[in-house]
Amino acid sequence: MCGIVGCILKENKDVAPILFSCISKLEYRGYDSIGIATYDNTINVKKGKGDIETVNENLNFEDMKGDLGIAHTRWASTGRPTDANAHPHMDNSQSVAVVHNGTLENYTDLKEELIEEGFTFKSTTDSEVIPNLIKKFMEKGKSLEDALRKTTEKLKGSYAIVAISKDEPDKLVATRKDSPLIVAYGEKGYFVASDTPAVLEYARDVIRPDECEVAVLTKDGIEIHDKNGENVKWESKYIDWTPEMAQKEGHPHFMIKEIIEQSEAVKNTLGQKANIQKIIDEIGDVKRICFVACGTSYHASITGKYLIESMAGIACDVVIASESKYTARTWDEDTLVIFISQSGETYDSRMALKEARKTSKTLAIVNVAGSAMTDEAEFVIQTQAGPEIGVAATKTYIAQLTAIYLFAGLLSKNGELIEELNKVPAYIDEAVKERETIKELSKMYTFAENIFYLGRGFSYPIALEGALKLKEITYIHAEAYPAGELKHGPLALIDEKVPVIVVVPPGEDYDKTMTHIEEVKARGAIVLCVGAKGDEKIAENSKEIIGINPEVTDIIAPLVYTVPLQLVSYYVTIEKGYNPDKPRNLAKVITV
């Protein structure tokens, strides 16, 4: 989940300001430290624990000299967040510098071997073995590129690595396995990075090297080499996201900007209708569908299950990606496995996708063009949410749902549902206009230590997503349950100190959900309902109500009713004084 940037300029100018600008664009991936290394007759490294602005105030990255360098933001996985554990890491002789994203499973053994050979270590990270291994092989006569290749032969686990050496000061070398890495070029020079937003200001022609290929960047251009060192013919893809698309545009946080942008994300994703129909035609008959996802995407998958089973009559499973190995044994040629990932780089989902390709048809629903899963899946639906910077998914979730609704509607030939989807952007805009009201009522929930979310049918995944958003950014413990499960245990936890948020749209589950409201009210709970505007019955039975257009039925409620729950979480977070864009301990892209 670390952020990586490397750059070599075409002209002899200082690269540090560009590296700092690029690495700052990767804050959304989550980080606890930052560092930069540049080459100017020797390798200079500055790094430290903390946020980018604070560390830069202390170290002044932008005054570093040199026209070649690497930069890194770290999200601790092996080794605590400390100055010493921050990247870049160097070898004992201070001649090789490396930035690394991923997790090395055998680093302890490698470290012990190197210590026996006389190497010493300054950090407790797994990454520090890499520059020392590279130096070890260079001392045996290997070039920087070949030394990197020999090093990766010894590594077990996932990695994206960029390395520089004062012994070959005219190049950067980079490689990857099970971690994202792009190569890009523009007027000023040549770049490597973990993700495209890092380099959009300088380069939008992007190359995605295959696993274990080595990218070599010099002032003269880019070469991609295979495992034998032979040239690989590469193609670039132009990314049409502009740098401005990743800015706040006057909003206090990316999260509120992205919540407001959700109607546009739906409109744009609805434009994928023809592509989705083509995919359905090519897939042909399937007897079973299995969704594989993590986090927010898992909640979108549950909605997909309900839609497809109720409309198309095809059996569906929903599996958390990290647990998928147990289900994978049942996948066969009659199974369509659908992978949902905002980034297209989610590690657990990618590993499951590799397994699924051996037996089944595979479809990836992703938001990032050219990401790893777009290359690995047989079929791809790219959602059209644009770049999402806030760590907590909002518009990418709604875009995922839109793609799922289109897929389910076209698969089941449900023209009525397809028509209804065209109304969703207007419904979302109406919901967003209620944000000042939601801001005020959210203040009453800042005291809570526990909050319950309830919903039945299509409202259950809405409740799940609402609870997850609250946990992610407010740090309040929240749980979601199918409302009918209350009496099977959770009701014991309800009292006057526990707010209960109930999702109750018009539809076949309305009456039963109202009885569940009575159940929690009888135990003294504070009830907030999200329901149809003007519904007097709901108003009588809850302390507060967030009103939604009454034309929004339970079937399409996940696309609309999710929005006010996002706003509740956002405003509770603001009231508590936290930054909703950068929740603690979390990262945007999970690559380990």
Side-chain angles (χ1 to χ4, degrees), residues 343-412:
S343 66
E345 303 286 355
T346 308
Y347 179 81
D348 290 326
S349 296
R350 289 190 59 212
M351 296 304 100
L353 174 53
K354 286 186 176 182
E355 286 300 310
R357 287 175 58 186
K358 298 174 183 177
T359 58
S360 307
K361 299 173 182 177
T362 57
L363 166 64
I365 300 177
V366 301
N367 189 56
V368 180
S371 55
M373 290 172 69
T374 64
D375 293 332
E376 294 164 352
E378 186 178 357
F379 303 99
V380 176
I381 298 171
Q382 186 182 326
T383 55
Q384 302 295 312
E388 183 178 70
I389 306 303
V391 169
T394 52
K395 66 176 181 174
T396 55
Y397 175 67
I398 296 299
Q400 287 173 350
L401 283 176
T402 303
I404 290 168
Y405 271 82
L406 275 173
F407 183 85
L410 293 168
L411 184 66
S412 61

Coordinates of all heavy atoms in Angstrom, one line a residue, residues 343-412:
S343 N -9.6 -0.2 -7.5 CA -8.3 0.1 -8.0 C -7.9 -0.9 -9.2 O -7.1 -0.5 -10.0 CB -7.3 0.0 -6.9 OG -7.1 -1.3 -6.5
G344 N -8.5 -2.1 -9.1 CA -8.0 -3.1 -10.1 C -6.7 -3.7 -9.7 O -6.1 -4.5 -10.4
E345 N -6.2 -3.3 -8.5 CA -4.9 -3.8 -8.0 C -5.0 -4.6 -6.7 O -4.0 -5.0 -6.1 CB -4.0 -2.6 -7.8 CG -3.7 -1.8 -9.0 CD -2.9 -2.5 -10.1 OE1 -2.3 -3.6 -9.8 OE2 -2.7 -1.9 -11.2
T346 N -6.2 -4.7 -6.1 CA -6.4 -5.3 -4.8 C -5.8 -6.7 -4.7 O -6.1 -7.6 -5.5 CB -7.9 -5.4 -4.4 OG1 -8.5 -4.1 -4.6 CG2 -8.1 -5.9 -3.0
Y347 N -4.8 -6.9 -3.8 CA -4.0 -8.1 -3.8 C -4.8 -9.4 -3.7 O -4.7 -10.3 -4.5 CB -3.0 -8.0 -2.7 CG -2.1 -9.2 -2.6 CD1 -1.0 -9.4 -3.4 CD2 -2.4 -10.3 -1.7 CE1 -0.2 -10.5 -3.3 CE2 -1.6 -11.4 -1.6 CZ -0.5 -11.5 -2.4 OH 0.3 -12.6 -2.3
D348 N -5.7 -9.4 -2.7 CA -6.5 -10.7 -2.4 C -7.3 -11.0 -3.6 O -7.5 -12.2 -4.0 CB -7.3 -10.5 -1.2 CG -6.5 -10.5 0.1 OD1 -5.4 -11.2 0.1 OD2 -6.8 -9.8 1.0
S349 N -7.9 -10.0 -4.2 CA -8.8 -10.2 -5.4 C -8.0 -10.7 -6.6 O -8.4 -11.6 -7.4 CB -9.6 -9.0 -5.8 OG -10.4 -8.6 -4.7
R350 N -6.8 -10.2 -6.8 CA -5.9 -10.6 -7.9 C -5.5 -12.0 -7.7 O -5.4 -12.8 -8.7 CB -4.7 -9.6 -8.0 CG -5.1 -8.2 -8.5 CD -3.8 -7.5 -8.8 NE -3.0 -8.2 -9.8 CZ -1.7 -8.2 -9.9 NH1 -1.0 -7.5 -9.0 NH2 -1.1 -8.8 -10.9
M351 N -5.2 -12.4 -6.5 CA -4.7 -13.8 -6.3 C -5.9 -14.8 -6.6 O -5.7 -15.8 -7.2 CB -4.2 -14.0 -4.9 CG -3.0 -13.2 -4.5 SD -1.6 -13.5 -5.6 CE -1.7 -12.1 -6.7
A352 N -7.1 -14.4 -6.2 CA -8.3 -15.2 -6.5 C -8.6 -15.2 -8.0 O -9.0 -16.3 -8.5 CB -9.5 -14.7 -5.7
L353 N -8.3 -14.1 -8.7 CA -8.5 -14.1 -10.1 C -7.6 -15.0 -10.8 O -8.0 -15.7 -11.8 CB -8.3 -12.6 -10.6 CG -8.4 -12.4 -12.1 CD1 -9.6 -12.9 -12.7 CD2 -8.3 -10.9 -12.4
K354 N -6.4 -15.1 -10.4 CA -5.4 -16.1 -11.0 C -5.9 -17.5 -10.9 O -5.8 -18.3 -11.8 CB -4.1 -15.9 -10.3 CG -3.3 -14.7 -10.7 CD -1.9 -14.7 -10.1 CE -1.1 -13.5 -10.6 NZ 0.3 -13.5 -10.0
E355 N -6.5 -17.8 -9.7 CA -7.1 -19.2 -9.6 C -8.3 -19.4 -10.5 O -8.4 -20.4 -11.1 CB -7.5 -19.4 -8.1 CG -6.3 -19.6 -7.2 CD -5.5 -20.8 -7.6 OE1 -6.0 -21.9 -7.8 OE2 -4.2 -20.7 -7.7
A356 N -9.2 -18.4 -10.5 CA -10.4 -18.5 -11.3 C -10.1 -18.7 -12.8 O -10.9 -19.4 -13.5 CB -11.3 -17.3 -11.1
R357 N -9.1 -18.1 -13.3 CA -8.8 -18.2 -14.7 C -8.5 -19.6 -15.1 O -8.6 -20.0 -16.3 CB -7.6 -17.3 -15.0 CG -7.9 -15.8 -15.0 CD -6.7 -15.0 -15.2 NE -6.0 -15.3 -16.5 CZ -4.8 -14.8 -16.9 NH1 -4.2 -13.9 -16.1 NH2 -4.3 -15.1 -18.0
K358 N -8.1 -20.5 -14.2 CA -7.7 -21.8 -14.5 C -8.9 -22.7 -14.9 O -8.8 -23.7 -15.6 CB -7.0 -22.5 -13.3 CG -5.7 -21.8 -12.9 CD -5.1 -22.5 -11.7 CE -3.8 -21.8 -11.2 NZ -3.3 -22.3 -9.9
T359 N -10.1 -22.3 -14.4 CA -11.3 -23.1 -14.5 C -12.5 -22.4 -15.1 O -13.4 -23.1 -15.7 CB -11.7 -23.7 -13.1 OG1 -12.0 -22.6 -12.2 CG2 -10.6 -24.6 -12.6
S360 N -12.6 -21.1 -14.9 CA -13.9 -20.4 -15.1 C -13.8 -19.2 -16.0 O -12.7 -18.7 -16.3 CB -14.5 -20.0 -13.8 OG -14.6 -21.1 -12.9
K361 N -14.9 -18.7 -16.4 CA -15.0 -17.4 -17.1 C -14.8 -16.3 -16.0 O -15.4 -16.5 -14.9 CB -16.3 -17.2 -17.8 CG -16.5 -18.3 -18.9 CD -17.9 -18.2 -19.5 CE -18.2 -19.3 -20.5 NZ -19.5 -19.3 -21.1
T362 N -14.1 -15.3 -16.3 CA -13.8 -14.2 -15.3 C -14.2 -12.8 -15.9 O -14.0 -12.5 -17.0 CB -12.4 -14.2 -14.9 OG1 -11.5 -14.0 -16.1 CG2 -12.0 -15.5 -14.2
L363 N -14.8 -12.0 -15.0 CA -15.2 -10.7 -15.3 C -14.7 -9.8 -14.2 O -15.0 -10.1 -13.0 CB -16.7 -10.6 -15.5 CG -17.4 -9.2 -15.5 CD1 -16.9 -8.4 -16.7 CD2 -18.9 -9.3 -15.5
A364 N -14.1 -8.7 -14.6 CA -13.6 -7.7 -13.6 C -14.4 -6.4 -13.8 O -14.5 -5.9 -14.9 CB -12.1 -7.4 -13.7
I365 N -14.9 -5.9 -12.6 CA -15.5 -4.6 -12.6 C -14.6 -3.6 -11.8 O -14.4 -3.8 -10.6 CB -16.9 -4.6 -12.0 CG1 -17.8 -5.6 -12.8 CG2 -17.5 -3.2 -11.9 CD1 -19.2 -5.7 -12.1
V366 N -13.9 -2.7 -12.6 CA -12.9 -1.9 -11.9 C -13.1 -0.4 -12.4 O -13.8 -0.2 -13.4 CB -11.5 -2.4 -12.3 CG1 -11.2 -3.8 -11.9 CG2 -11.2 -2.2 -13.8
N367 N -12.4 0.5 -11.7 CA -12.5 1.9 -12.0 C -11.3 2.5 -12.7 O -11.4 3.5 -13.4 CB -12.8 2.7 -10.8 CG -13.2 4.2 -11.1 OD1 -14.1 4.4 -11.8 ND2 -12.4 5.1 -10.5
V368 N -10.1 1.8 -12.6 CA -8.9 2.3 -13.1 C -8.5 1.7 -14.4 O -8.3 0.5 -14.4 CB -7.8 2.2 -12.0 CG1 -6.4 2.7 -12.6 CG2 -8.1 2.9 -10.7
A369 N -8.5 2.5 -15.4 CA -8.1 2.0 -16.8 C -6.7 1.4 -16.8 O -5.8 2.0 -16.2 CB -8.2 3.1 -17.8
G370 N -6.5 0.2 -17.4 CA -5.2 -0.4 -17.5 C -4.6 -0.9 -16.3 O -3.5 -1.3 -16.2
S371 N -5.4 -1.1 -15.2 CA -4.9 -1.7 -14.0 C -4.7 -3.2 -14.2 O -5.1 -3.7 -15.2 CB -5.9 -1.4 -12.8 OG -7.2 -1.9 -13.1
A372 N -4.1 -3.8 -13.2 CA -3.7 -5.2 -13.4 C -4.8 -6.1 -13.7 O -4.7 -7.0 -14.6 CB -3.0 -5.7 -12.1
M373 N -6.0 -5.9 -13.0 CA -7.1 -6.8 -13.2 C -7.7 -6.7 -14.6 O -8.4 -7.6 -15.1 CB -8.1 -6.7 -12.1 CG -7.6 -7.2 -10.8 SD -8.6 -6.8 -9.3 CE -10.1 -7.8 -9.7
T374 N -7.5 -5.5 -15.2 CA -8.1 -5.3 -16.6 C -7.3 -6.2 -17.6 O -7.8 -6.6 -18.6 CB -8.0 -3.8 -17.0 OG1 -6.7 -3.4 -17.1 CG2 -8.8 -3.0 -16.1
D375 N -6.0 -6.5 -17.3 CA -5.2 -7.3 -18.1 C -5.5 -8.8 -17.8 O -5.3 -9.7 -18.7 CB -3.7 -7.0 -17.9 CG -3.4 -5.6 -18.4 OD1 -4.1 -5.1 -19.4 OD2 -2.4 -5.0 -17.9
E376 N -5.8 -9.1 -16.6 CA -5.9 -10.5 -16.1 C -7.2 -11.1 -16.3 O -7.3 -12.4 -16.4 CB -5.4 -10.5 -14.6 CG -4.0 -10.1 -14.4 CD -3.6 -9.8 -13.0 OE1 -4.6 -9.7 -12.2 OE2 -2.4 -9.6 -12.7
A377 N -8.3 -10.4 -16.3 CA -9.6 -10.9 -16.4 C -10.0 -11.1 -17.9 O -9.5 -10.4 -18.8 CB -10.7 -10.1 -15.8
E378 N -10.8 -12.1 -18.2 CA -11.3 -12.4 -19.6 C -12.2 -11.2 -20.1 O -12.1 -10.8 -21.2 CB -12.0 -13.7 -19.6 CG -12.4 -14.2 -21.0 CD -13.1 -15.5 -21.0 OE1 -13.2 -16.1 -19.9 OE2 -13.5 -16.0 -22.1
F379 N -13.0 -10.7 -19.2 CA -13.9 -9.6 -19.6 C -13.8 -8.5 -18.6 O -13.5 -8.8 -17.4 CB -15.4 -10.1 -19.6 CG -15.6 -11.3 -20.5 CD1 -15.7 -12.6 -20.0 CD2 -15.8 -11.1 -21.9 CE1 -15.9 -13.7 -20.9 CE2 -16.0 -12.1 -22.8 CZ -16.1 -13.4 -22.3
V380 N -14.0 -7.3 -19.0 CA -13.8 -6.1 -18.1 C -14.9 -5.1 -18.3 O -15.3 -4.8 -19.4 CB -12.5 -5.4 -18.4 CG1 -12.3 -4.2 -17.5 CG2 -11.3 -6.4 -18.1
I381 N -15.5 -4.7 -17.2 CA -16.4 -3.5 -17.2 C -15.6 -2.4 -16.4 O -15.3 -2.6 -15.3 CB -17.7 -3.8 -16.5 CG1 -18.5 -4.9 -17.3 CG2 -18.6 -2.5 -16.4 CD1 -19.7 -5.4 -16.5
Q382 N -15.4 -1.3 -17.1 CA -14.7 -0.2 -16.4 C -15.7 0.8 -16.0 O -16.4 1.4 -16.9 CB -13.6 0.4 -17.3 CG -12.8 1.5 -16.5 CD -11.8 2.2 -17.4 OE1 -11.2 1.6 -18.3 NE2 -11.6 3.5 -17.1
T383 N -15.9 1.0 -14.7 CA -16.8 2.0 -14.2 C -16.2 3.4 -14.5 O -15.0 3.6 -14.8 CB -17.0 1.9 -12.7 OG1 -15.8 1.9 -12.0 CG2 -17.7 0.6 -12.4
Q384 N -17.0 4.4 -14.5 CA -16.6 5.7 -15.0 C -16.8 6.8 -13.9 O -17.3 7.9 -14.1 CB -17.5 6.1 -16.2 CG -17.4 5.2 -17.4 CD -16.1 5.1 -18.0 OE1 -15.5 6.1 -18.3 NE2 -15.6 3.9 -18.2
A385 N -16.2 6.5 -12.7 CA -16.3 7.4 -11.6 C -15.2 8.5 -11.7 O -15.3 9.5 -11.0 CB -16.2 6.6 -10.3
G386 N -14.2 8.3 -12.5 CA -13.0 9.2 -12.5 C -12.2 8.9 -11.2 O -12.5 8.0 -10.4
P387 N -11.1 9.7 -11.0 CA -10.2 9.4 -9.9 C -10.9 9.7 -8.6 O -11.6 10.7 -8.4 CB -9.0 10.3 -10.1 CG -9.6 11.4 -11.0 CD -10.6 10.8 -11.9
E388 N -10.7 8.8 -7.6 CA -11.3 8.9 -6.3 C -10.1 9.0 -5.3 O -9.3 8.1 -5.2 CB -12.2 7.8 -5.9 CG -12.8 7.9 -4.6 CD -13.8 6.8 -4.3 OE1 -13.3 5.6 -4.0 OE2 -15.0 7.0 -4.3
I389 N -10.0 10.1 -4.6 CA -8.8 10.4 -3.8 C -9.1 10.0 -2.3 O -8.2 9.5 -1.6 CB -8.4 11.8 -3.9 CG1 -8.1 12.2 -5.4 CG2 -7.1 12.1 -3.1 CD1 -7.1 11.4 -6.1
G390 N -10.3 10.3 -1.8 CA -10.6 9.9 -0.5 C -10.5 8.4 -0.2 O -10.9 7.6 -1.1
V391 N -9.9 8.1 0.9 CA -9.7 6.6 1.2 C -11.0 5.9 1.3 O -11.1 4.8 0.7 CB -8.8 6.5 2.4 CG1 -8.8 5.0 2.9 CG2 -7.4 7.0 2.2
A392 N -12.0 6.4 1.9 CA -13.3 5.8 2.0 C -14.0 5.9 0.7 O -14.3 7.0 0.2 CB -14.1 6.4 3.2
A393 N -14.4 4.7 0.1 CA -15.0 4.7 -1.2 C -16.4 5.3 -1.1 O -17.2 5.0 -0.3 CB -15.1 3.3 -1.7
T394 N -16.7 6.2 -2.1 CA -18.1 6.8 -2.2 C -18.5 6.6 -3.6 O -19.3 5.7 -4.0 CB -18.1 8.2 -1.7 OG1 -17.1 9.0 -2.4 CG2 -17.9 8.3 -0.2
K395 N -18.0 7.5 -4.5 CA -18.5 7.5 -5.9 C -18.1 6.2 -6.6 O -18.8 5.8 -7.5 CB -18.1 8.7 -6.6 CG -16.6 8.9 -6.9 CD -16.3 10.1 -7.7 CE -14.8 10.3 -8.0 NZ -14.6 11.4 -9.0
T396 N -16.9 5.6 -6.3 CA -16.6 4.4 -6.9 C -17.5 3.2 -6.5 O -17.8 2.3 -7.3 CB -15.1 3.9 -6.6 OG1 -14.9 3.9 -5.2 CG2 -14.1 4.9 -7.2
Y397 N -18.1 3.3 -5.3 CA -19.0 2.3 -4.9 C -20.3 2.4 -5.7 O -20.9 1.4 -6.2 CB -19.3 2.5 -3.4 CG -20.4 1.6 -2.8 CD1 -20.2 0.2 -2.8 CD2 -21.6 2.1 -2.4 CE1 -21.2 -0.6 -2.3 CE2 -22.6 1.3 -1.9 CZ -22.4 -0.1 -1.8 OH -23.4 -0.9 -1.3
I398 N -20.8 3.7 -5.8 CA -22.1 3.9 -6.5 C -21.9 3.5 -8.0 O -22.8 3.0 -8.7 CB -22.5 5.4 -6.4 CG1 -22.9 5.7 -4.9 CG2 -23.7 5.7 -7.3 CD1 -24.0 4.8 -4.3
A399 N -20.7 3.8 -8.5 CA -20.4 3.4 -9.9 C -20.4 1.9 -10.1 O -20.9 1.3 -11.1 CB -19.1 4.0 -10.4
Q400 N -19.8 1.2 -9.1 CA -19.8 -0.3 -9.1 C -21.3 -0.8 -9.1 O -21.6 -1.7 -9.9 CB -19.1 -0.8 -7.9 CG -17.6 -0.7 -7.9 CD -16.9 -1.1 -6.6 OE1 -17.6 -1.3 -5.6 NE2 -15.6 -1.2 -6.6
L401 N -22.1 -0.2 -8.2 CA -23.5 -0.6 -8.2 C -24.2 -0.4 -9.5 O -25.0 -1.2 -10.0 CB -24.2 0.1 -7.1 CG -24.0 -0.3 -5.6 CD1 -24.7 0.6 -4.7 CD2 -24.5 -1.8 -5.4
T402 N -23.9 0.7 -10.1 CA -24.5 1.1 -11.4 C -24.2 0.0 -12.5 O -25.0 -0.5 -13.2 CB -24.1 2.4 -11.9 OG1 -24.4 3.4 -10.9 CG2 -24.7 2.8 -13.2
A403 N -22.9 -0.4 -12.5 CA -22.5 -1.4 -13.5 C -23.1 -2.8 -13.1 O -23.6 -3.5 -14.1 CB -20.9 -1.6 -13.4
I404 N -23.3 -3.1 -11.9 CA -23.9 -4.3 -11.5 C -25.4 -4.3 -11.9 O -26.0 -5.3 -12.4 CB -23.8 -4.6 -10.0 CG1 -22.3 -4.9 -9.6 CG2 -24.7 -5.7 -9.5 CD1 -22.0 -4.9 -8.2
Y405 N -26.1 -3.2 -11.6 CA -27.5 -3.0 -12.0 C -27.7 -3.2 -13.5 O -28.6 -3.9 -14.0 CB -28.1 -1.7 -11.5 CG -28.6 -1.7 -10.1 CD1 -27.8 -1.6 -9.0 CD2 -30.0 -1.9 -9.9 CE1 -28.3 -1.6 -7.7 CE2 -30.5 -1.9 -8.7 CZ -29.7 -1.8 -7.6 OH -30.2 -1.8 -6.3
L406 N -26.8 -2.6 -14.3 CA -26.8 -2.7 -15.7 C -26.7 -4.2 -16.1 O -27.4 -4.7 -17.0 CB -25.8 -1.9 -16.4 CG -26.1 -0.4 -16.7 CD1 -24.9 0.3 -17.2 CD2 -27.3 -0.3 -17.7
F407 N -25.7 -4.8 -15.5 CA -25.4 -6.2 -15.9 C -26.6 -7.1 -15.5 O -27.0 -7.9 -16.3 CB -24.2 -6.7 -15.1 CG -23.7 -8.1 -15.4 CD1 -22.9 -8.4 -16.5 CD2 -24.2 -9.2 -14.6 CE1 -22.5 -9.7 -16.8 CE2 -23.8 -10.5 -14.9 CZ -23.0 -10.7 -16.0
A408 N -27.2 -6.9 -14.3 CA -28.3 -7.7 -13.9 C -29.5 -7.4 -14.8 O -30.2 -8.4 -15.2 CB -28.6 -7.5 -12.4
G409 N -29.8 -6.2 -15.1 CA -30.9 -5.8 -15.9 C -30.8 -6.4 -17.3 O -31.8 -6.9 -17.8
L410 N -29.7 -6.3 -17.9 CA -29.5 -6.8 -19.3 C -29.5 -8.3 -19.3 O -30.0 -8.9 -20.2 CB -28.2 -6.2 -19.9 CG -28.1 -4.7 -20.1 CD1 -26.7 -4.2 -20.4 CD2 -29.1 -4.3 -21.2
L411 N -28.9 -8.9 -18.3 CA -28.8 -10.4 -18.2 C -30.2 -10.9 -18.1 O -30.6 -12.0 -18.7 CB -28.0 -10.8 -17.0 CG -27.8 -12.3 -16.8 CD1 -26.9 -12.9 -17.9 CD2 -27.1 -12.6 -15.4
S412 N -31.1 -10.3 -17.3 CA -32.5 -10.8 -17.1 C -33.5 -10.2 -18.0 O -34.7 -10.4 -18.0 CB -32.9 -10.4 -15.6 OG -32.9 -9.0 -15.4

